[in-house]
Amino acid sequence: CIDRVVELRPGTPTALLLLSRRPPAEVLLADVHERHRTVHPYVSMVDEAFMRRARELGLRVNAWSAGQESTDEVRALIGLGVDGLITESHQQAIRLRDADRAHDN
């Protein structure tokens, strides 16, 4: 479906939704960045190796979850440098992001 959208409207930004237990090198193949600028991995997939591989490919990372994340999980994702968090707990995520930024300044 995504290939068809890009065929009909070249330049349309697309993202790849990911849910896998495979290593980042297997999930984030070199051709992913040729088709997408962004990936949406499930939160449990995001670790240092995943972020390193995504950055090597020039991909933005917006982690997603199916429910409530703990404060520690959100802090860990922020610490790993995700670009965004797709969450039902958006107010918690914004509060933790802002606190993290204030701490850095």
Side-chain angles (χ1 to χ4, degrees), residues 5-45:
V5 168
V6 172
E7 179 184 320
L8 293 172
R9 297 203 100 157
T12 300
T14 60
L16 182 62
L17 185 70
L18 300 170
L19 177 58
S20 178
R21 291 191 173 141
R22 296 180 312 181
E26 291 179 24
V27 176
L28 297 175
L29 301 173
D31 69 338
V32 169
H33 82 286
E34 294 172 7
R35 297 175 52 214
H36 310 285
R37 292 179 230 160
T38 305
V39 290
H40 300 311
Y42 190 71
V43 294
S44 64
M45 295 176 65

Side-chain angles (χ1 to χ4, degrees), residues 11 14 17-18 23 30 32 42 53 55 68 73 77 83:
T14 60
L17 185 70
L18 300 170
V32 169
Y42 190 71
R53 181 67 179 145
R55 296 309 189 215
Q68 301 283 328
E73 288 172 314
L77 291 165
D83 297 293

Side-chain angles (χ1 to χ4, degrees), residues 21-99:
R21 291 191 173 141
R22 296 180 312 181
E26 291 179 24
V27 176
L28 297 175
L29 301 173
D31 69 338
V32 169
H33 82 286
E34 294 172 7
R35 297 175 52 214
H36 310 285
R37 292 179 230 160
T38 305
V39 290
H40 300 311
Y42 190 71
V43 294
S44 64
M45 295 176 65
V46 182
D47 59 14
E48 289 179 12
F50 186 95
M51 291 301 295
R52 184 173 40 256
R53 181 67 179 145
R55 296 309 189 215
E56 287 170 359
L57 294 173
L59 295 167
R60 294 181 51 83
V61 176
N62 297 322
W64 67 276
S65 73
Q68 301 283 328
E69 305 79 31
S70 72
T71 298
D72 290 340
E73 288 172 314
V74 173
R75 281 190 176 122
L77 291 165
I78 291 169
L80 288 168
V82 296
D83 297 293
L85 181 60
I86 303 166
T87 177
E88 293 176 15
S89 308
H90 64 278
Q91 290 181 355
Q92 171 194 17
I94 290 169
R95 187 180 74 254
L96 292 170
R97 179 207 60 197
D98 291 348

